[in-house]
């Protein structure tokens, strides 16, 4: 036989637990922010792009569309696409390497032969896409110190009719 549920007691328990959890989060030094802060990367200077940085606390910075295109034309940087392999196959910056951020650990061994002093420009879809920043942080953790993010990304590159190519998915 089922007992009748007292919804007032259930609601009281839920509200009490919520208030305790929120209160703990607020007073805890390790609390989680309730509002996601948008991180804007500082733009890199030419000196920072070409310096041989071995700083322990290396900070990832961004590059403008103009600077990204200049580096592309002079073949001075490796462009790395942080999007998934299907988006990459549909189109990417000409000559770019695909290293999807969501499977970084799985794919990194293929990338690890890239010299740590290579100038690397990471991109994903557009300003709202955070995968490039996430991938940049992962590469810095692996010891790369010339990692920059092209925040305007693939969509802006495409709109400017810069060199692109399509690739086919590899069967593994």
């Amino acid at each position: 036989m089922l007992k009748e549920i007292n919804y007032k007691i259930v609601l009281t328990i839920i509200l009490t637990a919520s208030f305790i959890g929120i209160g703990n989060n607020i007073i805890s030094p390790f609390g989680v922010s309730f509002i996601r802060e948008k991180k804007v990367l500082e733009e890199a200077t030419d000196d920072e792009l070409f310096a041989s940085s071995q700083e322990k606390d290396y900070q990832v910075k961004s590059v403008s569309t103009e600077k990204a295109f200049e580096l592309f034309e002079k073949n001075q940087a490796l462009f790395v696409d942080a999007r998934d392999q299907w988006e990459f196959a549909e189109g990417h910056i000409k000559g770019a390497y695909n290293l999807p951020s969501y499977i970084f650990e799985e794919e990194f061994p293929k990338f690890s032969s890239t010299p740590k002093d290579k100038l690397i420009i990471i991109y994903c879809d557009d300003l709202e896409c955070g995968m490039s920043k996430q991938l940049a942080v992962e590469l810095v953790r692996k010891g790369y110190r010339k990692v920059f993010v092209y925040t305007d990304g693939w969509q802006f590159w495409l709109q400017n009719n810069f060199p692109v190519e399509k690739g086919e998915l590899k069967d593994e």
Side-chain angles (χ1 to χ4, degrees):
M1 190 190 303
L2 292 174
K3 291 187 176 182
E4 195 172 307
I5 298 174
N6 188 334
Y7 290 104
K8 287 182 181 179
I9 293 175
V10 170
L11 183 60
T12 301
I13 291 171
I14 291 172
L15 288 174
T16 303
S18 297
F19 285 125
I20 291 171
I22 292 169
N24 185 47
N25 187 61
I26 290 170
I27 62 172
S28 171
F30 305 108
V32 177
S33 176
F34 290 110
I35 299 172
R36 183 176 174 199
E37 295 176 24
K38 187 173 186 176
K39 289 190 176 184
V40 177
L41 297 178
E42 185 179 320
E43 192 167 316
T45 64
D46 281 351
D47 290 341
E48 290 170 320
L49 285 168
F50 297 107
S52 58
S53 177
Q54 295 302 319
E55 297 175 31
K56 185 176 183 179
D57 295 330
Y58 176 80
Q59 295 294 312
V60 175
K61 294 189 177 184
S62 69
V63 294
S64 66
T65 296
E66 295 78 20
K67 182 53 72 178
F69 187 66
E70 178 186 325
L71 293 167
F72 172 84
E73 280 194 310
K74 293 179 179 178
N75 199 27
Q76 292 179 312
L78 171 64
F79 282 77
V80 177
D81 191 323
R83 300 173 304 153
D84 67 41
Q85 61 188 12
W86 299 280
E87 288 175 302
F88 181 82
E90 288 175 8
H92 54 271
I93 293 175
K94 187 174 182 180
Y97 184 93
N98 186 221
L99 184 59
S101 65
Y102 71 98
I103 53 172
F104 174 76
E105 289 300 330
E106 180 182 324
E107 292 293 317
F108 179 73
K110 297 174 193 171
F111 184 83
S112 64
S113 62
T114 302
K116 300 222 180 200
D117 62 346
K118 180 79 174 163
L119 179 57
I120 299 171
I121 308 294
I122 302 174
Y123 71 94
C124 55
D125 236 11
D126 56 26
L127 284 168
E128 298 300 315
C129 177
M131 293 184 294
S132 54
K133 294 174 192 166
Q134 180 184 347
L135 181 58
V137 168
E138 292 296 333
L139 287 175
V140 168
R141 285 187 184 143
K142 295 286 189 183
Y144 290 83
R145 291 292 185 266
K146 292 181 83 174
V147 179
F148 300 88
V149 174
Y150 171 47
T151 52
D152 287 338
W154 167 245
Q155 293 301 323
F156 204 75
W157 188 273
L158 195 58
Q159 289 169 7
N160 281 283
N161 295 315
F162 292 156
V164 300
E165 63 186 1
K166 293 184 180 193
E168 296 190 19
L169 292 176
K170 298 174 187 167
D171 293 329
E172 297 190 31

